């Protein structure tokens, strides 16, 4: 492991700044070659996770993952997006096993659980 | 299903306040071999309990490594159910175990969950208290000197290597020399020792075969010892995290009794396996290995465990927690890493040697090398009186042991010493599962050191001694045995009765 994932992420994002589409493709190819040279190609997935986190941070975009028992209605979606203010990246996932309600994970770090599954788990823990 | 239960549950579900709050979480990045790497959880504290949402269940873990971008945690349960991406919550608490008198007679795992198939330990929320598994040892001011004996029922130990309540005495030796038998006999003897209050015994089985643990529980049941014993078991098939935690959980249980003014005895069988378990976890968590691949804090692992055994002062209840850790050596090497560490922590050690074992000296205690740093302040006056000469005479015998082969070519005094030594060695032998009450020990040793058995052939000593004890029990129970038991002393009057009884027995 030559460099930490966050270091790679920052370097890649800085390299991509202000480049045209074709130049970005070049940068991406070079990045993969650098990883190969440093024998860090097997960590590509975790590095890309960090790239996403860093990019969202740089652009001040909040990431919301919503897991709900049934698909979100258009109104709910708008309500969630506007509740935070600013730019929001919304990821949705339908999981029927949550029985009812929804839960939201903010920036991969904060969980707000308003599902029936969560409430029942609290009773029967 | 009774309607009362349904009613209570309905009330609970209705009354549950809709508290939806935001909580900090992490996600599992990697999970393998009982450990997990977790991203997020930016505000977790070291040793904090974590809960992993794995499928439908919640599996506990403890945060061990706090790294820059991730948390390394050990999993207290089946790690195979955890998947990458599972959500992990911090609980804000450290690992605690529920303790109380209801644990007595039960077999539990290091998390307090019963494994003897007899249902839950605690039946209502009001019972039991939560004691943290890791806790600071009592301070200097809270303690008192050890002053009460803990009788093991083993003649060689109670006479020359006496153990007191609140002491830590290490039992060390190779495999198959009787270390576990020694501690099982000690537990059984606690029920037979009528002079002192019976301590609550906690037997910790670390990494042992479940069949062996079952056999031990059966032996304890058969001798009535389960009425004051708790067994904490982390069997060989359980994860290394439970091997690591078992001694700490057992100590937390012992501390409950100690803090409530009672005496407790905790046995760790054995700490070598706990060290292996901790080494496994540390290596998996990529902590730097040091000597013999053990992590750098392997000494601290044992020192913080054993320091929690103490005798508390009267102001703090006067309770005590005695520890009998067991260490298994390889080929008698007591100067290896872990044995030397634990020897420097405990207040003495009992060496079991293979040569003695195969010569037929069982328990195979090497009295010369074994030591108890608490010594005679943990002995009854009666025992002190008879044991002093015993030690001296055995030491002299050991010096002359090599000459014993040429018995016919020696002078009278040497021959006498050798005979006496042989007789005393025979007296100190005893079978398994037969602990001897201390008053009987006093009589046996008195008879031996005062020459009443010098004319008896070594093979007959054991039979003659049981006959003597039977004789004293039948005819002199009130005058001798009861007196010694009640006063703990060998008063002049009692000694005279004893001399009389011995003369009578000799002439029979």
């Amino acid at each position: 492991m030559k460099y930490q994932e966050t270091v790679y992420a920052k370097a890649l994002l800085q390299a991509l700044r202000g480049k045209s589409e074709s130049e970005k493709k070049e940068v991406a190819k070079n990045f993969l070659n650098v990883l190969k040279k440093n024998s860090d190609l097997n960590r590509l997935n975790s590095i890309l996770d960090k790239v996403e986190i860093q990019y969202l941070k740089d652009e001040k975009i909040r990431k919301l993952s919503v897991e709900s028992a049934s698909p979100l209605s258009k109104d709910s979606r708008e309500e969630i997006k506007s509740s935070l203010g600013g730019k929001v990246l919304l990821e949705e996932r339908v999981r029927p096993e949550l029985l009812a309600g929804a839960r939201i994970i903010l920036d991969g770090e904060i969980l707000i659980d308003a599902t029936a599954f969560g409430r029942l788990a609290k009773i029967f823990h | 299903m009774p309607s009362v239960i349904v009613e209570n549950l309905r009330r609970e579900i209705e009354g549950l306040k809709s508290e939806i709050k935001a909580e900090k979480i992490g996600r599992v990045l990697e999970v393998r071999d009982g450990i997990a790497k977790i991203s997020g959880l930016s505000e977790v504290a070291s040793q904090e309990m974590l809960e992993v949402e794995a499928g439908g269940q919640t599996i506990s873990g403890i945060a061990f490594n706090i790294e820059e971008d991730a948390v390394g945690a050990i999993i207290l349960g089946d790690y195979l159910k955890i998947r990458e991406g599972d959500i992990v919550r911090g609980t804000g608490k450290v690992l605690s175990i529920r303790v109380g008198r209801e644990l007595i007679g039960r077999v539990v795992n290091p998390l307090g969950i019963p494994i003897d198939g007899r249902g839950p330990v605690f039946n209502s929320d009001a019972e039991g208290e939560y004691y943290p598994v890791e806790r600071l040892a009592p301070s200097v001011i809270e303690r008192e000197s050890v002053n009460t004996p803990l009788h093991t029922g083993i003649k060689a130990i109670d006479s020359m290597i006496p153990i007191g309540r609140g002491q830590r005495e290490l039992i060390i030796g190779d495999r198959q020399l009787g270390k576990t038998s020694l501690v099982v006999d000690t537990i059984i003897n606690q029920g037979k020792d009528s002079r002192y209050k019976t301590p609550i015994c906690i037997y910790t089985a670390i990494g042992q075969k479940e069949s062996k643990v079952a056999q031990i529980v059966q032996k304890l049941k058969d001798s009535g010892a389960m009425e004051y014993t708790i067994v904490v078991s982390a069997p060989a098939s359980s994860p290394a995290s439970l091997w690591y935690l078992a001694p700490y959980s057992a100590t937390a249980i012992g501390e409950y009794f100690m803090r409530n003014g009672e005496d407790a005895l905790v046995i760790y069988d054995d700490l070598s396996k706990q060290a292996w378990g901790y080494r496994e976890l540390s290596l998996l968590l990529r902590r730097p290995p040091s000597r013999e691949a053990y992590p750098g804090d392997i000494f601290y692992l044992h020192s913080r465990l054993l320091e929690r055994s103490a005798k508390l002062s009267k102001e703090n209840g006067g309770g005590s927690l005695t520890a009998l850790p067991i260490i298994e050596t390889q080929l008698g090497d007591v100067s290896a890493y872990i044995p030397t560490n634990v020897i420097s922590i405990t207040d003495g050690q009992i060496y079991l040697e293979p040569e003695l074992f195969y010569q037929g000296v069982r328990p195979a205690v090497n009295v010369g090398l074994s030591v108890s740093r608490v010594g005679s302040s943990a002995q009854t006056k009666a025992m002190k009186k008879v044991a002093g000469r015993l030690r001296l005479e055995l030491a002299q015998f050991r010096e002359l042991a090599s000459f014993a082969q040429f018995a016919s070519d020696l002078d009278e005094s040497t021959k006498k010493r050798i005979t006496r030594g042989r007789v005393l060695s025979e007296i100190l032998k005893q079978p398994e599962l037969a602990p001897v009450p201390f008053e009987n020990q006093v009589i046996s040793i008195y008879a031996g050191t005062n020459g009443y058995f010098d004319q008896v052939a070594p093979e007959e000593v054991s039979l003659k001694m049981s006959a003597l004890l039977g004789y004293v029990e039948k005819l002199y129970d009130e005058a001798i045995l009861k007196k010694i038991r009640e006063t703990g002393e060998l008063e002049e009057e009692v000694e005279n009765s004893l001399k009389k009884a011995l003369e009578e027995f000799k002439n029979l």
Side-chain angles (χ1 to χ4, degrees):
Chain A
M1 137 165 173
K2 189 134 193 253
Y3 297 109
Q4 281 189 342
E5 286 105 347
T6 38
V7 172
Y8 276 123
K10 286 195 180 129
L12 176 61
L13 286 171
Q14 280 174 15
L16 285 171
R17 208 164 283 159
K19 300 276 195 306
S20 68
E21 274 311 305
S22 54
E23 279 171 337
K24 280 188 188 163
K25 285 212 182 95
E26 261 311 300
V27 170
K29 217 165 67 167
N30 289 342
F31 179 64
L32 290 174
N33 282 330
V34 166
L35 281 186
K36 196 161 154 202
K37 195 175 69 149
N38 292 343
S39 315
D40 277 334
L41 204 51
N42 55 350
R43 292 162 57 212
L44 181 61
N45 279 329
S46 40
I47 293 172
L48 289 178
D49 284 338
K50 291 286 188 293
V51 169
E52 183 184 317
I53 294 173
Q54 190 63 42
Y55 177 71
L56 293 173
K57 215 200 268 176
D58 287 345
E59 302 289 312
K60 296 206 193 352
I61 303 175
R62 310 296 295 276
K63 178 176 172 187
L64 279 178
S65 306
V66 179
E67 293 177 355
S68 50
S70 46
L72 283 182
S73 67
K74 192 155 173 277
D75 291 332
S76 313
R77 210 173 284 141
E78 286 309 313
E79 203 182 330
I80 291 173
K81 272 191 166 160
S82 57
S83 63
L84 271 181
K87 296 180 258 180
V88 171
L89 170 66
L90 193 64
E91 251 182 28
E92 290 174 42
R93 207 176 138 202
V94 176
R95 290 180 61 193
E97 63 266 25
L98 292 173
L99 301 174
R103 62 189 203 176
I104 302 173
I105 300 174
L106 182 58
D107 288 332
E109 286 208 354
I110 300 180
L111 168 72
I112 302 172
D113 192 342
T115 58
F117 183 78
R119 301 266 300 265
L120 287 172
K122 268 200 201 108
I123 303 177
F124 292 110
H125 81 98
Chain B
M1 188 183 280
S3 54
V4 177
I5 297 178
V6 177
E7 181 61 31
N8 283 338
L9 195 56
R10 180 189 67 80
R11 235 180 270 140
E12 210 178 326
I13 294 174
E14 273 180 358
L16 201 64
K17 293 194 196 71
S18 91
E19 252 184 40
I20 300 174
K21 38 185 181 160
E23 34 183 350
K24 285 233 163 191
I25 54 142
R27 297 209 102 128
V28 174
L29 286 175
E30 250 182 55
V31 63
R32 60 194 166 99
D33 299 320
I35 59 149
K37 198 159 179 205
I38 300 161
S39 76
L41 277 183
S42 49
E43 285 175 10
V44 77
S46 178
Q47 304 295 316
E48 185 176 330
M49 280 279 283
L50 305 173
E51 281 176 356
V52 182
E53 233 178 69
Q57 343 169 309
T58 310
I59 300 182
S60 307
I62 303 180
F64 250 50
N65 277 5
I66 313 288
E67 294 156 23
E68 199 177 335
D69 287 324
V71 172
I74 62 171
I75 305 297
L76 305 173
D78 187 7
Y79 71 93
L80 292 169
K81 297 206 165 68
I82 302 178
R83 299 265 173 279
E84 188 197 338
D86 281 348
I87 289 178
V88 183
R89 292 185 167 85
T91 57
K93 304 186 206 147
V94 291
L95 181 60
S96 302
I97 182 174
R98 202 165 174 197
V99 298
R101 297 206 79 88
E102 293 84 352
L103 275 172
I104 298 175
R106 303 300 304 263
V107 182
V108 294
N109 79 353
L111 301 173
I113 299 166
I115 52 176
D116 50 7
R118 281 167 52 189
V121 177
F122 298 98
N123 286 312
S124 75
D125 277 342
E127 292 171 9
E129 284 175 58
Y130 279 93
Y131 264 54
V133 159
E134 292 266 10
R135 194 191 176 127
L136 282 181
S139 69
V140 175
I141 301 298
E142 288 177 297
R143 297 175 188 236
E144 187 179 71
S145 297
V146 172
N147 49 33
T148 322
L150 182 92
H151 286 136
T152 60
I154 294 172
K155 292 176 265 195
I157 298 177
D158 289 341
S159 54
M160 292 175 286
I161 319 156
I163 302 177
R165 298 188 181 203
Q167 183 180 358
R168 294 85 45 89
E169 182 83 4
L170 173 66
I171 298 167
I172 185 166
D174 280 358
R175 54 183 186 83
Q176 302 296 347
L177 289 183
K179 302 188 290 295
T180 304
S181 304
L182 214 139
V183 293
V184 170
D185 284 359
T186 304
I187 297 178
I188 294 174
N189 194 48
Q190 300 315 306
K192 305 212 165 118
D193 190 12
S194 48
R195 176 164 165 75
Y196 299 100
K197 191 157 172 273
T198 307
I200 306 294
C201 302
I202 303 154
Y203 177 79
T204 318
I206 304 157
Q208 287 187 34
K209 291 187 284 208
E210 300 205 48
S211 59
K212 189 170 171 209
V213 181
Q215 270 175 19
I216 291 171
V217 172
Q218 192 57 45
K219 275 188 204 161
L220 293 175
K221 271 200 190 119
D222 291 342
S223 48
M226 280 310 276
E227 315 220 334
Y228 50 85
T229 307
I230 302 167
V231 176
V232 176
S233 174
S237 53
S238 56
S241 48
L242 292 182
W243 287 27
Y244 156 70
L245 281 176
Y248 294 107
S249 304
T251 314
I253 298 174
E255 277 173 340
Y256 169 76
F257 294 103
M258 175 172 75
R259 298 265 164 199
N260 281 315
E262 294 186 52
D263 291 332
L265 167 67
V266 64
I267 292 162
Y268 307 113
D269 192 359
D270 53 69
L271 288 187
S272 313
K273 294 216 172 65
Q274 186 211 17
W276 293 354
Y278 187 57
R279 175 174 59 183
E280 183 177 321
L281 293 173
S282 299
L283 289 173
L284 285 167
L285 289 167
R286 310 291 248 149
R287 288 184 173 182
S290 85
R291 181 173 165 185
E292 288 179 33
Y294 287 106
D297 58 346
I298 198 77
F299 184 91
Y300 185 51
L301 175 78
H302 290 144
S303 64
R304 70 178 188 266
L305 172 71
L306 293 170
E307 278 297 303
R308 288 159 70 178
S309 303
K311 168 106 179 92
L312 295 182
S313 64
K314 288 191 191 51
E315 294 81 36
N316 290 298
S320 72
L321 179 60
T322 311
L324 292 179
I326 297 178
I327 289 273
E328 188 178 287
T329 50
Q330 307 295 330
L331 291 174
D333 185 12
V334 290
S335 54
Y337 191 25
I338 304 296
T340 46
N341 276 356
V342 184
I343 288 171
S344 66
I345 297 169
T346 53
D347 306 316
Q349 55 274 1
I350 296 172
Y351 284 111
L352 297 174
E353 281 195 338
E355 291 85 30
L356 292 173
F357 189 84
Y358 294 123
Q359 279 169 23
V361 178
R362 297 174 200 187
V365 178
N366 182 331
V367 185
L369 289 178
S370 305
V371 83
S372 165
R373 296 186 218 207
V374 165
S376 54
S377 33
Q379 264 183 329
T380 53
K381 288 212 175 90
M383 186 61 89
K384 231 182 279 198
K385 209 171 176 182
V386 299
R389 280 184 58 188
L390 175 64
R391 176 164 257 185
L392 183 63
E393 297 193 347
L394 277 177
Q396 289 172 342
F397 172 60
R398 270 195 307 279
E399 267 194 52
L400 300 171
S402 42
F403 296 121
Q405 299 159 335
F406 318 112
S408 50
D409 298 341
L410 301 166
D411 59 296
E412 274 312 306
S413 66
T414 312
K415 268 197 212 166
K416 264 208 182 118
R417 283 214 188 110
I418 290 175
T419 323
R420 176 65 61 84
R422 276 209 189 109
V423 162
L424 292 175
S425 299
E426 282 301 318
I427 292 178
L428 290 179
K429 291 185 189 174
Q430 67 190 83
E432 248 191 291
L433 296 176
V436 180
F438 89 98
E439 58 270 15
N440 288 14
Q441 290 186 27
V442 171
I443 293 172
S444 310
I445 297 171
Y446 187 90
T449 50
N450 284 292
Y452 291 92
F453 274 70
D454 283 349
Q455 307 304 326
V456 181
E459 322 70 75
E460 292 176 14
V461 169
S462 163
L463 238 74
K464 271 238 144 79
M465 186 57 79
S466 344
L468 168 66
L469 290 171
Y471 182 80
V472 173
E473 220 168 295
K474 281 205 193 80
L475 299 176
Y476 287 89
D477 188 45
E478 282 290 325
I480 302 178
L481 288 174
K482 219 164 164 212
K483 279 259 150 66
I484 299 178
R485 212 180 300 143
E486 282 166 10
T487 61
E489 289 188 43
L490 191 59
E491 293 156 344
E492 208 184 311
E493 201 190 309
V494 180
E495 197 177 342
N496 290 335
S497 309
L498 181 55
K499 281 190 191 144
K500 184 158 158 257
L502 286 165
E503 282 301 327
E504 282 174 20
F505 183 76
K506 213 171 164 191
N507 296 331
L508 277 179

